[in-house]
Amino acid sequence: MFEKVFKLSENGTNVKTELVAGLTTFMTMAYIIALNPNLLTNFGAEGSQLWNGVFMATCIASAVGMFCMAFLANKPFCMAPGMGLNSFFAVVVGNIVAMTGMTYVASFQAALIIILVEGIVFVVLSIFNVREKIVESIPLGIRLGISPAIGLMLMNIGLGSNVGIYAEGNGFTTPFFVMRDFFGALTPSVLHSNMGDAGYATMILTVITMFVGLFAIVAMAKKGIKGAVLFGMLIASVVYWAGSFAFLNTNPFASLATASFLPPFADMMETTFFKFNFAGFLEIGWFTVITLMVTFCIIDMFDTIGTLVGTASRANMVDENGNMPNMKEALLSDAIGTITGACTGTSTVTTFVESASGVEAGGRTGLTALTCGVLFLACMFIAPIAAIIPAAATSAALIYVGVLMLQGLKNVNFDDMDQMVPVALMLIGMPISGSIGHAIGIGLISYTIMKVFGGKAKEVSVLTYAISALFLVKFFLAV
């Protein structure tokens, strides 16, 4: 059955490889299941009912998007509420509260309408191939640079923001990070005094776990072991769990004792399921609404395009012109996921850059996305189990995949300044800004300006001019 539906042999893969790839991607992005409701509800400060509603919406909308990716596009890309977009959505909700005086929940329900409209717009644009034309309008040099830029972004996430350790040294107010605080410390004793005994011990265990996992993955990959990324993450997890018992005197499985395995359907129905606040939406103001919709659309569109193009390039799923087959269906799946997210109660659903880990594990068809989608649905029942996967273990996978994606730089012509400068700006812009879409925008603007002032204005397509102008407005003029 799987062979007929997903054309496994034609894509050089098999059921076992696809299942492992789906599980690998799931483990690298499972953090979003708890982090998304945390971000959208101010870490539960807006009430457990809303938290539970967003939690359920995260699982359901992600799964629906991945099922569409599996059966419509037959691609191994997985999706969930996008990082960055969810934080922006939370800020928007807070601003609506300040503007209208409504409660946070009512403001949340009003903001969901923006996400709904965004999803509908993207469905229409996808059906009429507008989004696909936008992909094709991106110059080849920039497309070639997207994959390695994402690689640097993954490495930055793995060594930076993916693992934050809250310690007594600063009153548990802001996290300490591996790259900035461990490797950036003047001396180990300085970091120790800044973090305190428990925090410093946790940092040491985190660093060891991360690099044990990374080099385990490398060793197995060099020997051609399939599923090296997944096995490396499991090895890293065992190291962290054992270290927690032995050195931190903590039980990493303690949360399971009091965890609930019953999905909070009632809370979702009460707070987020088709709970659109149209009356509150009309109080926001049309200019603000239009500005917000355009902003969400721009960020989501180019984050998704960048992830699809970059990851597909790494998996050799593109033709000689850098175009991916079934791009239309992949973009449509993303749009359907966003609409589902709005209807169930979460921010924009987009293709996750962590999909690269599953691709690296051998995922080549929609069976990878289907597997990950099923696991997201299962997390409505087993979320506490997914939560015990240590962040340091997922960092190992992200760093490894990021390193591999840097190989795409060999396809960039660094003798051509029109290619080199935009790619160089994307390489630094993507990890620093944390936005794939914004980095692509910087690349497109620089490409267009260089062509114009280099006397080659006719080589730039009309659509590239339009997109560059749109990003200029986004960066400098948007309110």
Side-chain angles (χ1 to χ4, degrees), residues 404-424:
L404 293 182
M405 294 186 79
L406 288 176
Q407 294 176 353
L409 286 173
K410 65 186 177 183
N411 299 317
V412 178
N413 181 7
F414 281 97
D415 292 326
D416 181 0
M417 291 289 285
D418 291 342
Q419 275 198 32
M420 183 185 74
V421 172
V423 169

Side-chain angles (χ1 to χ4, degrees), residues 19 23-24 32 56 81 126 176 227 251 289 338 348 388 459 469:
L19 294 179
L23 179 58
T24 300
I32 195 65
M56 292 293 290
S126 298
F176 293 86
N251 179 4
V289 165
T338 294
T348 307
I388 65 174
E459 295 182 9

Side-chain angles (χ1 to χ4, degrees), residues 447-460:
Y447 171 86
T448 302
I449 291 174
M450 292 181 67
K451 284 292 188 181
V452 170
F453 286 94
K456 301 177 182 178
K458 292 183 179 179
E459 295 182 9
V460 182

Side-chain angles (χ1 to χ4, degrees), residues 459-470:
E459 295 182 9
V460 182
S461 69
V462 174
L463 197 50
T464 299
Y465 277 119
I467 296 171
S468 298
L470 194 60

Side-chain angles (χ1 to χ4, degrees), residues 5-7 10-11 65 68-77 79 126-127 129 131-133 135-136 304-305 308-309 312 317-319 322-335 351 364-367:
V5 174
F6 298 109
K7 301 179 174 61
E10 181 181 321
N11 287 280
C68 291
M69 184 69 74
F71 295 111
L72 294 179
N74 193 24
K75 297 298 180 187
F77 308 122
M79 55 187 69
S126 298
I127 291 174
N129 297 322
R131 294 178 84 189
E132 194 171 9
K133 293 296 182 184
V135 175
E136 294 171 357
T304 299
I305 288 172
L308 290 174
V309 171
M317 294 180 181
V318 296
D319 58 25
N323 296 320
M324 185 187 79
N326 293 345
M327 176 63 82
K328 173 181 177 179
E329 290 79 3
L331 293 170
L332 182 60
S333 301
D334 170 89
T351 305
R364 292 296 181 272
T365 74
L367 184 53

